[in-house]
Amino acid sequence: MNKGLLISGLGHLGLVLWALLGGWFTWTTETPAVQVAQVSLITTSEFDAMTSAAPKVDDTAPAPQLQPPATKTPKPKPRPAPTTPKPAEPKPAEPAPTPDPTPTPDAAAPDAPEVPPPVAPPSDTPQPIPVQPSEKAPAPGAAERIASTPVDSTDQPKTADTATPAQTDTPSPDSQPVPEDPAAAPEKTVTAVVPDAKPTEDNAPQLAPTSSPPPPARPKPVDTPPEPTKTADTEATPDPAPADTSAADQAAIDAALADATAPDTAAATPEPSQTGSGGTGDQPIGAALNSGEVDNLRHVIGPFWNIGSLSTEATRVTVTMRVQVSQDQKILSVEMVDFTGGTAEAAKQAFEAAKRAVYRGASKGLGLPPDKYDTWKSMLFTFDTSQGRLR
Amino acid sequence: MTLSHSLTRLLALGALCLGLTAAPIAAQTEPHITFSDPVIEPMPYAVPDFVAENAEAAQAAHDLARVVADDLTGTGLFREIPSAAYISGIASFDAPIAYADWQAINAQVLITGAVQASGGALSVKFRLFDVASGQPLGEGLQFNGSASSWRRMAHKVADAAYSRITGEGPYFDSRVVFVSESGPKDARQKRLAVMDYDGANVQYLTDSASIVLAPRFSPNGDRILFTSYATGFPRIYVMNTADLSTRVLDEQPGSMTFAPRFAPDGRTVVFSLERDGNSDIYTLDIDSGALNQLTNAPSIETAPSFSPDGSQIVFESDRSGAQQIYVMPATGGEPTRISSGKGKYGTPVWSPRGDLIAFTKIADGRFYIGVIRSDSTEERLLTASFMDEGPTWAPNGRVIMFTRESEGATGSATLYSVDVSGRNLHQVTTPGPASDPAWSPLLP
């Protein structure tokens, strides 16, 4: 201990002395004088005379060729050519699809009473429905317009004593009600999942969409599928460049230094922000969370992160949020600091799903070490949906 | 060497030492934890009976809440918590929310509402709450309408809640036109009918005097195109939904017309026209009657469908020997084949979002409903059965409805819907056999 202290003291003393006195021996204030060379001028004729005495260059010698670089350059793979459909094959003259011109009346469904009523006949009573100003097209069945109006302030109190009354719209006289036929309107909608019917080889019907008459039989020329679609693995991928040994060495040195200076395991070191938008380097941070504590936090919050009710676009969004936590491990605030992979609207939905997970997970305690409050009082959470994407 | 230079070097050294000492502190940031394994399951929610603000509204308050719950649960994205599990109820619309009680039963979202009835008028207001964070989700909304339109008002409430939570566009307040079938399979009677998206409020638009096929709504829902065999041959008709008046769209002597569909502008119709045994795709300007031939091939081209921006048309053709899906400019031109898998492809329909094209596929004796991107990538099959065909998109492009025909002599057609993710396949109940659904735009 004393020996080390002595060495350190001597070293520092040496540094200080060098800083103070080193200049007496090495420091120079005079800028080096500009070296001047005497150059004699010659005329063009003298120059020609000099060059004519020099040996001539052999013009017949091959000019040096530009050599390709030694490293392998990936050949760009040709992209699949766009498919051009072949001209249509000659179609044999066949009779046109013949529909059944005389459908048999259905005794069970008498036609006369089935003369359809108007889908939604306009009502003669004024309808107090707010009308959206820009709408002009009637709905199918002359459906009435039902416009929405805000009920009241969005600041629904969290506490029990500040409820706000709802607003009531004034009736709109220009919208007509559409009476619905209760007899023809079964109110109960029954849905049931029905398993697929088992296919059989012998009774499988041919593709005959009801939207069009069945196509006549015709010769079957060779099917020409389109060129394979460009996929990620067909892209020309350049060979990885040879590793820069100096950079690799430097990285190894940096890693070794980081390991040596870290107070705990590598996982305990606070991770730098991946997005660049997070992180508060100016905040004092206490002891870092170790890997066990981080995994525990994942297990506390992760099971509550449900993206099953998100839009297809929102399921592609990765959001990063800053979570402020109180000393008793309650969530103080959650704010989105970054997102990638979608629109702001989709990110908002994804953020809310992630926020619900944080609150629900924290409702039973986050399980964070109390002695490291300075570390976890503010954290960055990134919710990456790439491994749970809806398809 | 001067004193100033010495001081300068000393200061530089000091700064260096300070920098080395401070560097480890500056490198430490907030803990940054990544979560990458989300759960995908329906979100539990609670929707207590709406508060009846007068005695007349009591029944409506209950019924409205039930339709809202049916709508949300029917998406497969939500799971309703039964009322028997409730710890506390909603005494009044403006009463404070006991979040702890709803958290205790694992509700993530709470929907509260109130109904007021007066004469033939109904007023419905509702709020959404994020139970976990103990905060309202957006603004509350209020709808006013006639008492007879209470189901539409319930759909509006459900649409608002669905869009607020999921971020998807609404689709509950919409209708579906379809072909209602009756009679034996070999002598099937068909007539047009329209219903709410969930099968309620069925109303018939035509009688069963002639076979009708392929109804299609106009972009604003004021007209319906369909194919009828009233003359003995397929011909396209257009019906005004306000008064149910019907007329032939276009008379082309010696030809048959079928598979119509509106362009996004509502003024142009694209369809197939068969003449001398050859079917090609045409467009017709409804106002001017101008006919424009888009394809000219000896093969069968049919089932055209516009892209939402009106710039392209997807259709099916057997020009390669088997039915496949092609995309061409809306003005005609060289088509590009986008289907490449094994089997035959037909009845393509472009999604309202423009991102996907739904289709029917037949391979190995089975029928499938699938989706594919217009650049022929990411083909996915959503359903499979003895016979699935004729997909139609919900207004928000998230749900597909189609016809499923059961096997055998006693088999019949029914309507099914499926989420574009391939989940939540379920039957849409209709009064009888039904086929050829076509979804309307969202109602105003």
mmCIF file of all heavy atoms in Angstrom, chain A residues 64-94:
data_model
loop_
_atom_site.group_PDB
_atom_site.id
_atom_site.type_symbol
_atom_site.label_atom_id
_atom_site.label_comp_id
_atom_site.label_asym_id
_atom_site.label_seq_id
_atom_site.Cartn_x
_atom_site.Cartn_y
_atom_site.Cartn_z
ATOM 1 N N PRO A 64 1.001 0.861 -68.495
ATOM 2 C CA PRO A 64 0.583 0.119 -67.286
ATOM 3 C C PRO A 64 -0.930 0.100 -67.151
ATOM 4 O O PRO A 64 -1.589 1.126 -67.339
ATOM 5 C CB PRO A 64 1.250 0.909 -66.153
ATOM 6 C CG PRO A 64 1.504 2.257 -66.725
ATOM 7 C CD PRO A 64 1.731 2.064 -68.196
ATOM 8 N N GLN A 65 -1.432 -1.048 -66.847
ATOM 9 C CA GLN A 65 -2.875 -1.217 -66.704
ATOM 10 C C GLN A 65 -3.287 -1.023 -65.246
ATOM 11 O O GLN A 65 -2.560 -1.400 -64.330
ATOM 12 C CB GLN A 65 -3.293 -2.613 -67.164
ATOM 13 C CG GLN A 65 -3.008 -2.869 -68.622
ATOM 14 C CD GLN A 65 -3.811 -1.965 -69.533
ATOM 15 O OE1 GLN A 65 -4.991 -1.742 -69.315
ATOM 16 N NE2 GLN A 65 -3.161 -1.407 -70.552
ATOM 17 N N LEU A 66 -4.470 -0.499 -65.116
ATOM 18 C CA LEU A 66 -5.019 -0.330 -63.766
ATOM 19 C C LEU A 66 -5.415 -1.688 -63.216
ATOM 20 O O LEU A 66 -6.161 -2.440 -63.848
ATOM 21 C CB LEU A 66 -6.253 0.582 -63.826
ATOM 22 C CG LEU A 66 -6.865 0.938 -62.488
ATOM 23 C CD1 LEU A 66 -5.870 1.748 -61.669
ATOM 24 C CD2 LEU A 66 -8.150 1.705 -62.700
ATOM 25 N N GLN A 67 -4.818 -2.027 -62.107
ATOM 26 C CA GLN A 67 -5.084 -3.341 -61.530
ATOM 27 C C GLN A 67 -6.276 -3.269 -60.588
ATOM 28 O O GLN A 67 -6.453 -2.299 -59.860
ATOM 29 C CB GLN A 67 -3.848 -3.807 -60.735
ATOM 30 C CG GLN A 67 -2.619 -4.000 -61.599
ATOM 31 C CD GLN A 67 -2.823 -5.084 -62.654
ATOM 32 O OE1 GLN A 67 -3.445 -6.103 -62.383
ATOM 33 N NE2 GLN A 67 -2.325 -4.845 -63.855
ATOM 34 N N PRO A 68 -7.096 -4.296 -60.631
ATOM 35 C CA PRO A 68 -8.226 -4.315 -59.689
ATOM 36 C C PRO A 68 -7.722 -4.485 -58.268
ATOM 37 O O PRO A 68 -6.649 -5.012 -58.040
ATOM 38 C CB PRO A 68 -9.029 -5.544 -60.135
ATOM 39 C CG PRO A 68 -8.035 -6.413 -60.826
ATOM 40 C CD PRO A 68 -7.028 -5.496 -61.438
ATOM 41 N N PRO A 69 -8.477 -4.045 -57.367
ATOM 42 C CA PRO A 69 -8.054 -4.189 -55.973
ATOM 43 C C PRO A 69 -7.986 -5.659 -55.584
ATOM 44 O O PRO A 69 -8.677 -6.509 -56.139
ATOM 45 C CB PRO A 69 -9.150 -3.468 -55.193
ATOM 46 C CG PRO A 69 -10.307 -3.432 -56.111
ATOM 47 C CD PRO A 69 -9.746 -3.387 -57.494
ATOM 48 N N ALA A 70 -7.122 -5.922 -54.655
ATOM 49 C CA ALA A 70 -6.915 -7.310 -54.244
ATOM 50 C C ALA A 70 -8.106 -7.897 -53.515
ATOM 51 O O ALA A 70 -8.359 -9.086 -53.560
ATOM 52 C CB ALA A 70 -5.677 -7.394 -53.360
ATOM 53 N N THR A 71 -8.846 -7.040 -52.855
ATOM 54 C CA THR A 71 -9.976 -7.572 -52.083
ATOM 55 C C THR A 71 -11.101 -7.984 -53.020
ATOM 56 O O THR A 71 -11.281 -7.429 -54.088
ATOM 57 C CB THR A 71 -10.503 -6.508 -51.122
ATOM 58 O OG1 THR A 71 -10.833 -5.363 -51.897
ATOM 59 C CG2 THR A 71 -9.448 -6.135 -50.106
ATOM 60 N N LYS A 72 -11.867 -8.951 -52.560
ATOM 61 C CA LYS A 72 -12.975 -9.460 -53.367
ATOM 62 C C LYS A 72 -14.118 -8.454 -53.355
ATOM 63 O O LYS A 72 -14.509 -7.963 -52.318
ATOM 64 C CB LYS A 72 -13.473 -10.778 -52.801
ATOM 65 C CG LYS A 72 -12.556 -11.942 -53.107
ATOM 66 C CD LYS A 72 -13.194 -13.225 -52.630
ATOM 67 C CE LYS A 72 -12.324 -14.417 -52.958
ATOM 68 N NZ LYS A 72 -12.922 -15.668 -52.476
ATOM 69 N N THR A 73 -14.593 -8.199 -54.528
ATOM 70 C CA THR A 73 -15.754 -7.332 -54.632
ATOM 71 C C THR A 73 -16.964 -8.179 -54.989
ATOM 72 O O THR A 73 -16.913 -8.952 -55.932
ATOM 73 C CB THR A 73 -15.538 -6.285 -55.723
ATOM 74 O OG1 THR A 73 -14.361 -5.573 -55.422
ATOM 75 C CG2 THR A 73 -16.722 -5.325 -55.809
ATOM 76 N N PRO A 74 -18.019 -8.087 -54.215
ATOM 77 C CA PRO A 74 -19.177 -8.932 -54.506
ATOM 78 C C PRO A 74 -19.798 -8.556 -55.837
ATOM 79 O O PRO A 74 -19.972 -7.387 -56.155
ATOM 80 C CB PRO A 74 -20.138 -8.632 -53.359
ATOM 81 C CG PRO A 74 -19.722 -7.289 -52.872
ATOM 82 C CD PRO A 74 -18.255 -7.201 -53.095
ATOM 83 N N LYS A 75 -20.089 -9.585 -56.563
ATOM 84 C CA LYS A 75 -20.744 -9.335 -57.839
ATOM 85 C C LYS A 75 -22.209 -9.012 -57.594
ATOM 86 O O LYS A 75 -22.894 -9.752 -56.908
ATOM 87 C CB LYS A 75 -20.662 -10.573 -58.728
ATOM 88 C CG LYS A 75 -19.315 -10.754 -59.398
ATOM 89 C CD LYS A 75 -19.392 -11.907 -60.378
ATOM 90 C CE LYS A 75 -18.084 -12.069 -61.118
ATOM 91 N NZ LYS A 75 -18.142 -13.212 -62.063
ATOM 92 N N PRO A 76 -22.653 -7.949 -58.157
ATOM 93 C CA PRO A 76 -24.089 -7.670 -58.002
ATOM 94 C C PRO A 76 -24.906 -8.713 -58.745
ATOM 95 O O PRO A 76 -24.685 -8.954 -59.929
ATOM 96 C CB PRO A 76 -24.252 -6.279 -58.613
ATOM 97 C CG PRO A 76 -23.093 -6.142 -59.522
ATOM 98 C CD PRO A 76 -21.982 -6.964 -58.968
ATOM 99 N N LYS A 77 -25.802 -9.306 -57.989
ATOM 100 C CA LYS A 77 -26.649 -10.315 -58.636
ATOM 101 C C LYS A 77 -27.749 -9.622 -59.424
ATOM 102 O O LYS A 77 -28.314 -8.639 -58.969
ATOM 103 C CB LYS A 77 -27.268 -11.221 -57.575
ATOM 104 C CG LYS A 77 -26.218 -12.025 -56.832
ATOM 105 C CD LYS A 77 -26.879 -12.915 -55.815
ATOM 106 C CE LYS A 77 -25.843 -13.695 -55.031
ATOM 107 N NZ LYS A 77 -26.447 -14.514 -53.986
ATOM 108 N N PRO A 78 -28.029 -10.172 -60.561
ATOM 109 C CA PRO A 78 -29.090 -9.526 -61.353
ATOM 110 C C PRO A 78 -30.430 -9.673 -60.658
ATOM 111 O O PRO A 78 -30.743 -10.719 -60.091
ATOM 112 C CB PRO A 78 -29.059 -10.300 -62.663
ATOM 113 C CG PRO A 78 -28.449 -11.621 -62.313
ATOM 114 C CD PRO A 78 -27.487 -11.344 -61.191
ATOM 115 N N ARG A 79 -31.203 -8.641 -60.706
ATOM 116 C CA ARG A 79 -32.536 -8.698 -60.121
ATOM 117 C C ARG A 79 -33.451 -9.464 -61.061
ATOM 118 O O ARG A 79 -33.251 -9.475 -62.265
ATOM 119 C CB ARG A 79 -33.079 -7.284 -59.903
ATOM 120 C CG ARG A 79 -32.199 -6.499 -58.977
ATOM 121 C CD ARG A 79 -32.803 -5.179 -58.698
ATOM 122 N NE ARG A 79 -34.063 -5.319 -57.986
ATOM 123 C CZ ARG A 79 -34.746 -4.317 -57.531
ATOM 124 N NH1 ARG A 79 -34.314 -3.101 -57.670
ATOM 125 N NH2 ARG A 79 -35.879 -4.499 -56.907
ATOM 126 N N PRO A 80 -34.429 -10.107 -60.493
ATOM 127 C CA PRO A 80 -35.335 -10.844 -61.363
ATOM 128 C C PRO A 80 -36.032 -9.905 -62.331
ATOM 129 O O PRO A 80 -36.489 -8.827 -61.954
ATOM 130 C CB PRO A 80 -36.324 -11.479 -60.395
ATOM 131 C CG PRO A 80 -36.038 -10.925 -59.074
ATOM 132 C CD PRO A 80 -34.739 -10.223 -59.104
ATOM 133 N N ALA A 81 -36.063 -10.375 -63.547
ATOM 134 C CA ALA A 81 -36.696 -9.551 -64.564
ATOM 135 C C ALA A 81 -38.189 -9.495 -64.322
ATOM 136 O O ALA A 81 -38.783 -10.455 -63.855
ATOM 137 C CB ALA A 81 -36.437 -10.150 -65.944
ATOM 138 N N PRO A 82 -38.768 -8.366 -64.584
ATOM 139 C CA PRO A 82 -40.221 -8.290 -64.415
ATOM 140 C C PRO A 82 -40.934 -9.261 -65.348
ATOM 141 O O PRO A 82 -40.531 -9.451 -66.488
ATOM 142 C CB PRO A 82 -40.536 -6.825 -64.756
ATOM 143 C CG PRO A 82 -39.372 -6.373 -65.546
ATOM 144 C CD PRO A 82 -38.190 -7.152 -65.089
ATOM 145 N N THR A 83 -41.937 -9.825 -64.814
ATOM 146 C CA THR A 83 -42.653 -10.833 -65.595
ATOM 147 C C THR A 83 -43.504 -10.162 -66.655
ATOM 148 O O THR A 83 -44.257 -9.236 -66.370
ATOM 149 C CB THR A 83 -43.561 -11.636 -64.672
ATOM 150 O OG1 THR A 83 -42.752 -12.199 -63.670
ATOM 151 C CG2 THR A 83 -44.277 -12.723 -65.438
ATOM 152 N N THR A 84 -43.337 -10.638 -67.828
ATOM 153 C CA THR A 84 -44.192 -10.165 -68.895
ATOM 154 C C THR A 84 -45.079 -11.304 -69.334
ATOM 155 O O THR A 84 -44.606 -12.324 -69.809
ATOM 156 C CB THR A 84 -43.356 -9.682 -70.083
ATOM 157 O OG1 THR A 84 -42.469 -8.684 -69.623
ATOM 158 C CG2 THR A 84 -44.247 -9.143 -71.186
ATOM 159 N N PRO A 85 -46.334 -11.165 -69.119
ATOM 160 C CA PRO A 85 -47.218 -12.268 -69.473
ATOM 161 C C PRO A 85 -47.131 -12.571 -70.958
ATOM 162 O O PRO A 85 -47.016 -11.670 -71.786
ATOM 163 C CB PRO A 85 -48.598 -11.764 -69.090
ATOM 164 C CG PRO A 85 -48.365 -10.580 -68.259
ATOM 165 C CD PRO A 85 -47.038 -10.040 -68.587
ATOM 166 N N LYS A 86 -47.156 -13.801 -71.241
ATOM 167 C CA LYS A 86 -47.150 -14.195 -72.637
ATOM 168 C C LYS A 86 -48.463 -13.796 -73.282
ATOM 169 O O LYS A 86 -49.479 -13.665 -72.614
ATOM 170 C CB LYS A 86 -46.954 -15.704 -72.739
ATOM 171 C CG LYS A 86 -45.558 -16.149 -72.348
ATOM 172 C CD LYS A 86 -45.408 -17.622 -72.600
ATOM 173 C CE LYS A 86 -43.987 -18.062 -72.308
ATOM 174 N NZ LYS A 86 -43.820 -19.508 -72.524
ATOM 175 N N PRO A 87 -48.411 -13.645 -74.560
ATOM 176 C CA PRO A 87 -49.680 -13.361 -75.246
ATOM 177 C C PRO A 87 -50.673 -14.474 -74.973
ATOM 178 O O PRO A 87 -50.309 -15.638 -74.801
ATOM 179 C CB PRO A 87 -49.273 -13.307 -76.715
ATOM 180 C CG PRO A 87 -47.811 -13.105 -76.726
ATOM 181 C CD PRO A 87 -47.270 -13.669 -75.457
ATOM 182 N N ALA A 88 -51.864 -14.094 -74.932
ATOM 183 C CA ALA A 88 -52.879 -15.068 -74.595
ATOM 184 C C ALA A 88 -52.926 -16.175 -75.628
ATOM 185 O O ALA A 88 -52.727 -15.937 -76.820
ATOM 186 C CB ALA A 88 -54.232 -14.392 -74.512
ATOM 187 N N GLU A 89 -53.161 -17.337 -75.119
ATOM 188 C CA GLU A 89 -53.258 -18.478 -76.010
ATOM 189 C C GLU A 89 -54.551 -18.397 -76.805
ATOM 190 O O GLU A 89 -55.528 -17.826 -76.336
ATOM 191 C CB GLU A 89 -53.230 -19.771 -75.198
ATOM 192 C CG GLU A 89 -51.917 -20.044 -74.540
ATOM 193 C CD GLU A 89 -51.729 -19.184 -73.325
ATOM 194 O OE1 GLU A 89 -52.727 -18.630 -72.847
ATOM 195 O OE2 GLU A 89 -50.596 -19.046 -72.871
ATOM 196 N N PRO A 90 -54.516 -18.989 -77.954
ATOM 197 C CA PRO A 90 -55.763 -18.967 -78.737
ATOM 198 C C PRO A 90 -56.851 -19.712 -77.989
ATOM 199 O O PRO A 90 -56.618 -20.769 -77.399
ATOM 200 C CB PRO A 90 -55.385 -19.678 -80.036
ATOM 201 C CG PRO A 90 -54.143 -20.440 -79.716
ATOM 202 C CD PRO A 90 -53.438 -19.674 -78.656
ATOM 203 N N LYS A 91 -57.970 -19.123 -78.006
ATOM 204 C CA LYS A 91 -59.069 -19.709 -77.252
ATOM 205 C C LYS A 91 -60.025 -20.383 -78.218
ATOM 206 O O LYS A 91 -60.459 -19.776 -79.197
ATOM 207 C CB LYS A 91 -59.796 -18.607 -76.490
ATOM 208 C CG LYS A 91 -60.812 -19.149 -75.523
ATOM 209 C CD LYS A 91 -61.225 -18.112 -74.531
ATOM 210 C CE LYS A 91 -61.914 -16.963 -75.208
ATOM 211 N NZ LYS A 91 -62.415 -15.994 -74.252
ATOM 212 N N PRO A 92 -60.332 -21.610 -78.004
ATOM 213 C CA PRO A 92 -61.255 -22.282 -78.911
ATOM 214 C C PRO A 92 -62.641 -21.679 -78.785
ATOM 215 O O PRO A 92 -63.053 -21.246 -77.713
ATOM 216 C CB PRO A 92 -61.244 -23.733 -78.420
ATOM 217 C CG PRO A 92 -60.826 -23.651 -77.002
ATOM 218 C CD PRO A 92 -59.902 -22.476 -76.907
ATOM 219 N N ALA A 93 -63.286 -21.669 -79.898
ATOM 220 C CA ALA A 93 -64.643 -21.133 -79.886
ATOM 221 C C ALA A 93 -65.537 -22.070 -79.110
ATOM 222 O O ALA A 93 -65.684 -23.250 -79.452
ATOM 223 C CB ALA A 93 -65.149 -20.987 -81.320
ATOM 224 N N GLU A 94 -66.045 -21.573 -78.044
ATOM 225 C CA GLU A 94 -66.888 -22.395 -77.207
ATOM 226 C C GLU A 94 -68.179 -21.661 -76.929
ATOM 227 O O GLU A 94 -68.219 -20.434 -76.996
ATOM 228 C CB GLU A 94 -66.172 -22.693 -75.892
ATOM 229 C CG GLU A 94 -64.958 -23.562 -76.090
ATOM 230 C CD GLU A 94 -64.248 -23.815 -74.775
ATOM 231 O OE1 GLU A 94 -64.660 -23.194 -73.781
ATOM 232 O OE2 GLU A 94 -63.304 -24.604 -74.763
#
